[in-house]
């Protein structure tokens, strides 16, 4: 059977010529909300100044205007400008001068501001209250207010003495109310402000008002948290930086409430330096008879009480040693070490107060250092025999003046020694009779 195979019909389709790309498409119109608004602090200033001038000196009306204006004016963007106006009456240029508009017909400043207010505390408190209400209403302005004060305190030299006085009072009021942190005061420590005495005058103004609003303990705690308690001397010009000048300045400004804290701070600093000095002398192998006059001179110079010095010497003696970690060996090591320096300690335990302070410190040291828990009695006996501690003070400590730290352990540990002391005391009384 013959099968005819027919060739397949092949069809070739001619490809069309590729079109070149052309720029085409729909133009997308930018929505109004996506358009970047032009930065216009002058326009914002004009709107705020107009509202303030219309409110006049009625600060309640001022607060209401600022409250409602926040819904249509961008406080978040122009917060710095807003606080410039409330403080100085207009936009502050670098250095602290007011930036005036090029158009002489435009009002670029207002009298409704802190710098133009009457310089009395009640009025300035009312202006500070306007700021307080504003940041309570718009919480995001808190950080802006802090930054504003950091800026304006650098500009102090550009303000008049009266403006600086008003700013100092308002700063203190806002510090007392917690609207700004005390750390802003570090910005006053600029060389040019310190040199001209502006920094010192300003901080004294702040302290006077602040102490009128808060007690001295609260003010000192705030200064300590900001790290300013140890930098108060830095507000004085370099040539006058000493504790005598600082004390005189505090007294002249009626800041006696802070002087006790200042003296305690200085006392702590002196004690730390003396402890380091004694430690170095001990490590260098200095004799006790060489150390005693040095310590006595420092006591006299800085009016250090004997009870603080006795504790200081104990700390120096115990920190200079590398103590054995084995409890059974540390006892012998401690007694041997302390025996060399009992004459040093006895030179500064000439009254019962100093003796008791030392004994309490020994108790707390033995409690805090576990290896010394069983060494306490041996140290007390050593100090009794070498006349560092008297019988009366040891008995007083045992009966009523001990520390709660390890109380039961140490009282039990010294019970037999105390009984021996009491019996010796009774025998002595019988002999006298």
């Amino acid at each position: 059977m013959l099968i005819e195979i027919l060739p397949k019909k092949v069809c070739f389709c001619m490809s069309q010529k590729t079109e070149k790309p052309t720029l085409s498409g729909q133009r997308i119109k930018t929505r109004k909300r996506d358009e970047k608004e032009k930065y216009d602090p002058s326009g914002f200033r004009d709107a705020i100044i107009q509202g303030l001038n219309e409110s006049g000196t009625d600060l309640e009306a001022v607060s209401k205007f600022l409250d409602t204006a926040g819904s249509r004016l961008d406080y978040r963007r122009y917060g710095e400008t807003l606080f410039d106006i409330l403080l100085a009456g207009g936009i502050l240029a670098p250095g602290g001068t007011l930036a005036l508009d090029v158009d002489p017909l435009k009002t670029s400043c207002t009298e409704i501001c802190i710098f133009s207010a009457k310089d009395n505390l009640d009025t300035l408190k009312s202006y500070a209250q306007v700021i307080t209400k504003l940041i309570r209403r718009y919480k995001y302005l808190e950080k802006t207010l802090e930054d504003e004060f950091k800026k304006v305190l650098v500009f102090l030299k550009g303000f008049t003495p009266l403006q600086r006085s008003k700013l100092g009072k308002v700063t203190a009021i806002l510090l007392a109310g917690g609207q700004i942190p005390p750390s802003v005061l570090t910005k006053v420590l600029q060389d040019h402000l310190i040199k001209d005495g502006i920094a010192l005058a300003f901080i004294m103004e702040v302290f006077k008002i602040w102490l009128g609003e808060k007690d001295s303990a609260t003010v000192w705690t705030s200064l300590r948290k900001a790290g300013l308690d140890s930098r108060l001397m830095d507000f004085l010009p370099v040539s006058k930086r000493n504790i005598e000048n600082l004390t005189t300045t505090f007294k002249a400004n009626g800041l006696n409430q802070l002087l006790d804290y200042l003296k305690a701070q200085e006392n702590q600093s002196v004690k730390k330096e003396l402890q380091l000095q004694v430690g170095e002398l001990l490590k260098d192998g200095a004799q006790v008879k060489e150390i005693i006059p040095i310590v006595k001179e420092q006591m006299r110079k800085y009016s250090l009480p004997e009870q603080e010095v006795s504790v200081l010497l104990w700390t120096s003696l115990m920190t200079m040693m590398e103590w054995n970690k084995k409890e059974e060996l540390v006892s012998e090591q401690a007694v041997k070490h302390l025996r060399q320096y009992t004459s040093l300690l006895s030179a500064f335990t000439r009254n019962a107060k100093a003796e008791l302070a030392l004994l309490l410190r020994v108790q707390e040291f033995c409690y805090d250092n576990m290896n010394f828990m069983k060494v306490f009695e041996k140290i007390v006996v050593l100090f009794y025999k070498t006349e560092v501690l008297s019988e009366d003070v040891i008995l007083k400590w045992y009966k009523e003046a001990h520390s709660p730290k390890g109380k039961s352990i140490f009282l039990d540990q010294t019970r037999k020694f105390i009984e021996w002391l009491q019996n010796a005391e009774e025998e002595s009384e019988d002999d006298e009779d």
Side-chain angles (χ1 to χ4, degrees):
M1 187 176 182
L2 188 62
I3 299 173
E4 185 178 1
I5 300 173
L6 298 174
K8 289 182 180 180
K9 189 176 180 181
V10 181
C11 178
F12 296 94
C13 297
M14 298 296 291
S15 61
Q16 294 182 351
K17 194 173 181 182
T18 307
E19 293 182 5
K20 292 182 179 180
T22 57
L23 293 172
S24 61
Q26 184 180 359
R27 284 180 71 103
I28 300 172
K29 188 176 180 181
T30 306
R31 287 179 292 183
K32 190 170 185 180
R33 70 181 184 188
D34 295 330
E35 290 178 6
K36 183 131 181 161
E37 188 182 347
K38 181 184 174 184
Y39 183 64
D40 183 22
S42 297
F44 176 86
R45 175 201 63 195
D46 296 343
I48 292 293
I49 286 176
Q50 182 183 346
L52 292 177
N53 288 340
E54 287 173 359
S55 301
T57 54
D58 181 356
L59 296 184
E60 280 297 325
V62 168
S63 285
K64 285 178 183 177
F65 159 70
L66 292 171
D67 190 3
T68 55
S71 59
R72 54 187 176 79
L73 297 174
D74 194 348
Y75 283 177
R76 195 181 294 274
R77 193 177 192 193
Y78 299 107
E80 182 184 349
T81 303
L82 175 62
F83 288 124
D84 274 359
I85 296 166
L86 294 178
L87 285 173
I91 297 175
L92 286 170
T97 57
L98 281 179
L100 300 176
D101 203 290
V102 290
D103 185 352
L105 299 177
K106 253 187 180 181
T107 304
S108 54
C109 58
T110 178
E111 295 292 305
I112 313 301
C113 65
I114 287 165
F115 280 3
S116 297
K118 289 181 180 179
D119 188 23
N120 69 66
L121 194 56
D122 289 337
T123 301
L124 293 172
K125 277 185 178 181
S126 299
Y127 273 89
Q129 187 62 23
V130 169
I131 293 174
T132 301
K133 286 180 180 178
L134 183 62
I135 63 171
R136 282 177 183 167
R137 175 69 175 84
Y138 299 97
K139 294 290 286 183
Y140 58 81
L141 286 175
E142 286 180 354
K143 185 65 173 68
T144 311
L145 180 64
E146 179 183 341
D147 293 339
E148 174 72 11
F149 270 82
K150 286 179 179 178
K151 179 187 79 174
V152 296
L153 294 185
V154 176
F155 293 165
L156 284 178
K157 195 171 183 177
F159 306 145
T160 66
L162 184 58
Q163 288 172 341
R164 289 197 290 266
S165 174
K166 293 175 186 177
L167 181 60
K169 290 182 177 73
V170 171
T171 301
I173 294 163
L174 295 175
L175 282 168
Q179 284 76 46
I180 55 174
S183 56
V184 300
L185 297 175
T186 58
K187 292 297 178 181
V188 182
L189 291 169
Q190 307 290 324
D191 289 342
H192 66 285
L193 298 177
I194 295 167
K195 183 181 176 183
D196 294 340
I198 294 172
L200 184 62
F202 181 81
I203 205 70
M204 290 298 109
E205 186 71 58
V206 171
F207 285 167
K208 283 188 284 187
I209 304 304
W210 198 357
L211 281 170
E213 300 295 308
K214 294 288 181 180
D215 61 272
S216 56
T218 303
V219 173
W220 191 260
T221 301
S222 298
L223 292 174
R224 191 173 66 246
K225 285 180 180 178
L228 280 166
D229 59 323
S230 58
R231 299 189 67 188
L232 294 176
M233 198 86 74
D234 296 346
F235 287 95
L236 292 167
V238 177
S239 61
K240 296 181 180 178
R241 282 181 191 169
N242 57 61
I243 191 63
E244 290 78 15
N245 281 332
L246 189 59
T247 301
T248 302
T249 304
F250 269 57
K251 284 182 177 178
N253 286 276
L255 302 176
N256 295 320
Q257 293 170 285
L258 287 181
L259 271 180
D260 290 339
Y261 294 97
L262 184 63
K263 286 176 181 176
Q265 179 84 18
E266 181 63 19
N267 183 277
Q268 195 65 29
S269 176
V270 168
K271 285 195 295 182
K272 190 174 181 180
E273 288 178 15
L274 179 56
Q275 185 178 316
L276 291 171
Q277 187 181 5
V278 170
E280 290 298 318
L281 289 168
L282 291 168
K283 286 177 183 177
D284 292 342
Q287 297 295 311
V288 170
K289 61 183 180 181
E290 297 171 338
I291 299 172
I292 290 174
I294 293 172
V295 176
K296 284 187 174 179
E297 173 58 26
Q298 295 291 81
M299 278 181 66
R300 184 198 61 77
K301 185 177 179 182
Y302 295 105
S303 303
L304 295 175
E306 196 169 85
Q307 64 268 21
E308 292 182 8
V309 175
S310 64
V311 171
L312 177 153
L313 291 172
W314 164 267
T315 305
S316 296
L317 289 170
M318 300 311 281
T319 53
M320 71 178 283
M321 287 293 288
E322 196 68 47
W323 296 108
N324 201 304
K325 293 182 181 178
K326 293 184 179 179
E327 189 178 335
E328 60 272 16
L329 297 176
V330 80
S331 175
E332 184 181 345
Q333 184 189 13
V335 172
K336 184 180 178 182
H337 170 64
L338 290 169
R339 188 176 281 116
Q340 303 172 70
Y341 299 105
T342 52
S343 58
L344 174 62
L345 291 169
S346 63
F348 298 96
T349 52
R350 295 169 301 175
N351 62 65
K353 199 170 183 180
E355 288 182 47
L356 187 58
L358 175 61
L359 184 49
L360 287 169
R361 185 68 192 98
V362 174
Q363 179 190 346
E364 290 173 355
F365 178 88
C366 291
Y367 178 80
D368 294 336
N369 297 272
M370 294 299 290
N371 284 353
F372 283 82
M373 290 288 279
K374 294 180 180 179
V375 190
F376 177 71
E377 184 199 10
K378 292 184 179 180
I379 295 173
V380 174
V381 172
L382 171 66
F383 285 175
Y384 170 72
K385 287 180 177 179
T386 53
E387 299 183 345
V388 175
L389 299 176
S390 66
E391 179 182 321
D392 290 342
V393 168
I394 296 171
L395 290 173
K396 182 180 180 181
W397 167 84
Y398 185 84
K399 292 174 183 176
E400 59 186 63
H402 42 258
S403 167
K405 287 188 173 183
K407 169 187 170 181
S408 58
I409 296 170
F410 296 129
L411 292 182
D412 185 60
Q413 194 180 120
T414 56
R415 182 169 49 81
K416 288 183 179 180
F417 175 59
I418 295 297
E419 288 173 359
W420 179 84
L421 283 178
Q422 288 172 330
N423 289 334
E425 185 180 23
E426 288 170 5
E427 289 173 8
S428 175
E429 288 175 356
D430 290 342
D431 291 342
E432 286 177 8
D433 290 341

